[in-house]
Amino acid sequence: MAEVSQPVNARRAAVIYGIAAFVSLIGLADSIYLTVEHLSGRSVRCTITSGCSEVLSSPYATVRGYPLAALGALAYFAVFSLATLAAFGYKGMGKLLLLLVSAMFLTTLWLFYLQAFVIRHFCQFCLLSALVTTTLLVLVVLSQRIYART
Amino acid sequence: MKRLLPFALIAIVLGAGLLTARYLQNSSTEPPKPSPSTQSISPTTASPAASVVSNAEPGAEPAHSHGESSALVTLEEFGDFECPPCGMLHPILKGLEAEFGPSKIRVVFREFPLVPAHAHALAAARAAEAAGLQSKFWEMHDIIYEHQKDWHEAFDVRPIFESYATKVGLDLDQFRRDQTSEIVERRIFLDGKRAHSMGVTGTPTVFMNGREIPFESLAPEKLRALINSELAARR
């Protein structure tokens, strides 16, 4: 198997960071939508699952009076910023991104547990966010591993 | 130029975020509430109280309550039978009642149907109050909450509530009459008046010994901690 040169690895890592930045925009759009719906008092209707109203109006959907989705939006914006900077070769951004995405993933696991065992309803928008966060973790770990070879 | 490109991208996304924030500001100036009462049964103007509410209206008497009147902690819920978070709070309160016992906590239920947001909320409140006239308020309260999903999308809820009335052992003819009786209407009105005087704007709103519990503290573990600290303070 031919050895891949360091610049090629760096380019690959940058491309993956770029994909991560794009994926984070999906999470950002999702959480902005949920924040808007939450603050406007409208009840979000699920089209695939059936528990949006139950999940999004549960006490777990707010933190000190602020919608959890708003915190999610901030987190996704931070991911977008760090991933974009990492894609353009700014040093140290990849590690910060890994820390942030790991924290988001742990939060996602906790929220998934709440949906499955406490609220006993699933919200498709929250599941989308969980999918996005999981994808981000995979991408960031992958790019870190590739970047480590440079 | 290439070094500036990521910052330009971040600035574009931030701009989009700020536009959304502006939209948020325009769409709501109120703090988030699970089921805001756009038009509740009584007008609502005051903001939620952070301290003990003084000069509150008494509400319907006698209030529907569980637990001893000498209990150290009284939880007063303003609820709407059709609101999903109220339905979720129901087993939480039941669990805490069983856990602490009637000598420690007393639970009071007040009607606060959110109309027209919830099409059947008023009918559900009437059904529960009508059952109350036959001393079966809590039985009806429980069955309505526990079957919330079965009736809230129904076109006509009357036969469903009548089937619950039969199930809990009510005299059906009297139940039918009582649902539209003045005493039932008055009880709902008086609870609404109390809600208004206490600054209730959405459901579920729960007061612990007269102080409003923030909505996010209605999760079982937080509610348990609040009750424990209240019990410790009153011993």
Side-chain angles (χ1 to χ4, degrees), chain B residues 141-161:
Chain B
H141 164 279
D142 291 355
I143 202 167
I144 290 176
Y145 265 146
E146 282 154 19
H147 291 85
Q148 191 186 59
K149 276 185 170 296
D150 300 338
W151 57 264
H152 92 103
E153 283 185 353
F155 178 71
D156 185 4
V157 289
R158 279 176 307 176
I160 301 173
F161 291 155

Side-chain angles (χ1 to χ4, degrees), chain B residues 25 40-41 53 82 85 100 122 179 181 186 190 212 227:
Chain B
Q25 203 176 10
S40 62
I41 204 95
V53 178
E82 200 175 347
F100 286 96
L122 191 53
Q179 282 183 97
S181 66
R186 184 146 185 83
L190 289 173
E212 185 179 342
I227 293 169

Side-chain angles (χ1 to χ4, degrees), chain B residues 168-186:
Chain B
V168 300
L170 296 182
D171 175 332
L172 199 55
D173 289 332
Q174 194 192 330
F175 173 73
R176 283 181 183 138
R177 281 195 302 275
D178 287 344
Q179 282 183 97
T180 51
S181 66
E182 200 184 323
I183 187 167
V184 161
E185 291 298 325
R186 184 146 185 83

Side-chain angles (χ1 to χ4, degrees), chain B residues 81-165:
Chain B
F81 287 108
E82 200 175 347
C83 97
C86 300
M88 288 172 64
L89 182 64
H90 166 63
I92 294 172
L93 288 182
K94 283 203 90 164
L96 291 170
E97 273 184 80
E99 186 180 326
F100 286 96
S103 60
K104 284 185 181 159
I105 64 167
R106 177 172 173 253
V107 173
V108 175
F109 185 85
R110 298 284 183 188
E111 305 286 358
F112 197 60
L114 306 178
V115 287
H118 294 150
H120 303 312
L122 191 53
R126 283 176 179 148
E129 290 299 327
L133 295 180
Q134 294 185 50
S135 308
K136 298 267 188 182
F137 172 81
W138 288 105
E139 289 84 346
M140 195 62 156
H141 164 279
D142 291 355
I143 202 167
I144 290 176
Y145 265 146
E146 282 154 19
H147 291 85
Q148 191 186 59
K149 276 185 170 296
D150 300 338
W151 57 264
H152 92 103
E153 283 185 353
F155 178 71
D156 185 4
V157 289
R158 279 176 307 176
I160 301 173
F161 291 155
E162 285 177 7
S163 73
Y164 297 164

